[in-house]
Amino acid sequence: MSMLKGANLPVQAQAVRVELGWRSGPGVPDVDASALLLVSGKVRSDADFVFYNQPAHASGAVRHEGKKTGADGVTDTLAVDLARVEPAVERIVLAASADGGSFGRVPGLRVRVLDATSGTEIARYESQDATVETAFLLGELYRRQGSWKFRAVGQGYGSGLAGLATDFGISVDDEPAPRMAPVPPAPVPPAPVRPASVRSEPVRPEPVRPTRPAAPPAPPVSAPAAPAPVRLSKVTLTKDAPSVSLAKQGGTSGAMRVNLNWQMRKQFRGWGAKLGRAVANHSDLDLDLCALYELSDGRKGVVQALGNAFGALHQPPYIHLDGDDRTGAVSSGENLTINLDHKDRLRRIVIFVTIYEGARSFADLDATVTLQPEHGAPIDFALGECTVPSTVCSLALITNTGSDLVVQREARFLVPERGVSPQRTIDYAYGWGMNWTPGRK
């Protein structure tokens, strides 16, 4: 049963998941969840704001885990470890912001608090009276006599996330992130090298020759720089605007995380299954996030769970796969990390996903992709609906043009020919020219 506005109840779990939910559809704005950790009604610094551009609090107590689409609509989730919240923090405000419209156009807006261990619903609040608001304070977790409680708030803001954040002491950068007009990636001439093999020798870093160290210059004495204000901008790639410049986003250094989140859109049983519709359960569906890479010296390879080719972050290929989500139940999905501090060593990267087992195509799967540069705005997009019997989909192409890194939304569902693997299909589509041998997990 949904709580009434202003009602409160105890939260006895040590850790909770806060799900912001709504029903998507034509004309419905995108919605984002955020959290503010408050001391005496204000944040101590901008670091106490957890949202898509700053997805984890330094204490580890609050994390933004991202969006998923299911039968009941879309959810954007925050994980809160109440046992790790610093003693000085009295309240954690749970907020929502609408991107591209007001909450009057967002049906089914709700917030649920779930026990992170058991999944049991602890509290639910459904907003019924939204009109022109572009941000909402839906609820809050707060301390009372040594215990935690949840209160349904339902306070709207017409000034968006920036206005809500500013009210709690956040310094917001009003300068919007620049957008790049859609441009095709610059062509890259093929390197005259022997085709690589998936099972070739591992890539090793070049040897470092010792040199006589020079005396370091004395560092200049200067006042500490003021922290940069929080940037609320983000980029959504679409068919009409499929590419973006990382340089113009200020995101060409540090680590860039590529996240894949997926789940079933619908399931068919009985005659639907007999007619060949793709049917899979979470328990047996396994998608793999992968990357083909080409380095500036012409070396090529693949990063994937198959064959335990997880890559490396601080040596070639400067790409690392953090694990293999074989169920879709891992809230953070699968992640690739690209070390942009070595961007000059990278020529191009194709990020793709394959169905390893559990389904015959992407037709009934729903997936979203987010690229999160360490120092730039997040870039996200949905794959869209698959209408062909595809088992491999190219997600994005990252190209080094010499002066910039360009991210191109691909979202291409490919159909392998009989006897041809998904990896070889991607290779053919992008002209990588590699030699492939069977591998296993």
Side-chain angles (χ1 to χ4, degrees):
M1 182 179 295
S2 179
M3 299 172 63
L4 297 175
K5 185 183 297 188
N8 63 79
L9 50 76
V11 176
Q12 297 178 346
Q14 292 294 303
V16 297
R17 296 179 69 247
V18 180
E19 288 187 353
L20 169 66
W22 68 98
R23 295 193 303 275
S24 185
V28 176
D30 191 23
V31 180
D32 297 291
S34 57
L36 299 103
L37 288 73
L38 306 183
V39 177
S40 300
K42 296 285 186 180
V43 298
R44 295 164 294 183
S45 72
D46 291 352
D48 284 340
F49 186 26
V50 177
F51 69 122
Y52 48 78
N53 265 356
Q54 194 165 262
H57 191 260
S59 67
V62 183
R63 302 188 315 278
H64 178 244
E65 295 195 334
K67 296 175 184 174
K68 285 193 173 183
T69 303
D72 296 331
V74 186
T75 58
D76 197 10
T77 302
L78 297 160
V80 183
D81 188 341
L82 296 173
R84 297 179 65 179
V85 176
E86 298 155 296
V89 175
E90 303 156 352
R91 287 196 293 153
I92 302 174
V93 167
L94 308 170
S97 56
D99 185 14
S102 67
F103 276 106
R105 295 164 52 192
V106 179
L109 182 64
R110 64 194 181 277
V111 63
R112 300 170 66 218
V113 181
L114 309 173
D115 187 314
T117 302
S118 67
T120 304
E121 183 177 282
I122 299 171
R124 172 193 287 258
Y125 170 62
E126 298 173 352
S127 174
Q128 305 286 347
D129 52 0
T131 54
V132 298
E133 299 88 349
T134 50
F136 248 97
L137 198 167
L138 288 170
E140 61 182 11
L141 294 161
Y142 65 99
R143 297 184 195 265
R144 180 59 55 88
Q145 297 178 348
S147 299
W148 285 95
K149 303 186 78 173
F150 172 79
R151 177 184 291 117
V153 179
Q155 178 183 347
Y157 288 74
S159 50
L161 185 59
L164 184 150
T166 302
D167 274 4
F168 289 104
I170 298 291
S171 301
V172 174
D173 186 354
D174 293 327
E175 187 75 20
R179 292 295 300 272
M180 179 183 178
V183 295
V188 180
V193 296
R194 177 173 56 87
S197 171
V198 173
R199 299 181 69 179
S200 60
E201 291 183 358
V203 180
R204 295 182 174 87
E206 296 180 355
V208 179
R209 297 179 179 177
T211 58
R212 180 175 297 175
V221 178
S222 59
V230 170
R231 295 179 62 187
L232 301 181
S233 57
K234 66 176 182 175
V235 177
T236 300
L237 299 182
T238 65
K239 291 181 180 179
D240 296 328
S243 61
V244 66
S245 160
L246 286 182
K248 291 187 178 181
Q249 293 292 328
T252 55
S253 63
M256 179 169 71
R257 190 181 73 164
V258 182
N259 174 261
L260 169 70
N261 247 314
W262 57 268
Q263 64 185 62
M264 295 296 296
R265 181 183 294 118
K266 53 190 174 182
Q267 294 185 6
F268 293 91
R269 304 181 186 278
W271 284 107
K274 293 178 181 180
L275 290 173
R277 303 302 295 270
V279 182
N281 298 315
H282 287 298
S283 60
D284 63 7
L285 179 60
D286 183 11
L287 301 188
D288 284 344
L289 183 61
C290 317
L292 287 178
Y293 63 83
E294 181 180 7
L295 303 181
S296 59
D297 61 9
R299 284 179 290 176
K300 300 176 182 178
V302 65
V303 174
Q304 60 179 6
L306 193 65
N308 295 318
F310 289 97
L313 197 59
H314 301 292
Q315 64 183 45
Y318 309 111
I319 305 169
H320 182 253
L321 176 65
D322 67 358
D324 181 21
D325 177 11
R326 306 196 67 173
T327 65
V330 178
S331 57
S332 58
E334 290 199 6
N335 299 280
L336 275 166
T337 304
I338 303 171
N339 189 343
L340 298 181
D341 289 337
H342 295 276
K343 60 182 178 295
D344 293 339
R345 305 288 298 276
L346 302 170
R347 179 173 291 171
R348 54 178 180 156
I349 302 169
V350 173
I351 301 166
F352 66 99
V353 60
T354 69
I355 296 177
Y356 182 70
E357 62 183 14
R360 291 187 291 277
S361 83
F362 286 103
D364 299 314
L365 308 182
D366 220 345
T368 56
V369 182
T370 302
L371 290 79
Q372 176 64 70
E374 187 173 340
H375 302 297
I379 302 164
D380 59 25
F381 59 89
L383 291 188
E385 187 170 355
C386 176
T387 58
V388 294
S390 170
T391 56
V392 57
C393 177
S394 61
L395 307 180
L397 173 64
I398 302 173
T399 305
N400 189 337
T401 67
S403 59
D404 195 4
L405 289 178
V406 175
V407 177
Q408 173 85 17
R409 176 187 185 269
E410 295 290 289
R412 293 174 58 188
F413 294 100
L414 304 177
V415 181
E417 297 178 2
R418 183 180 296 273
V420 178
S421 69
Q423 288 84 352
R424 194 184 299 264
T425 301
I426 282 284
D427 186 320
Y428 290 167
Y430 288 89
W432 233 254
M434 291 174 56
N435 297 323
W436 295 90
T437 55
R440 65 179 62 184
K441 293 187 180 183

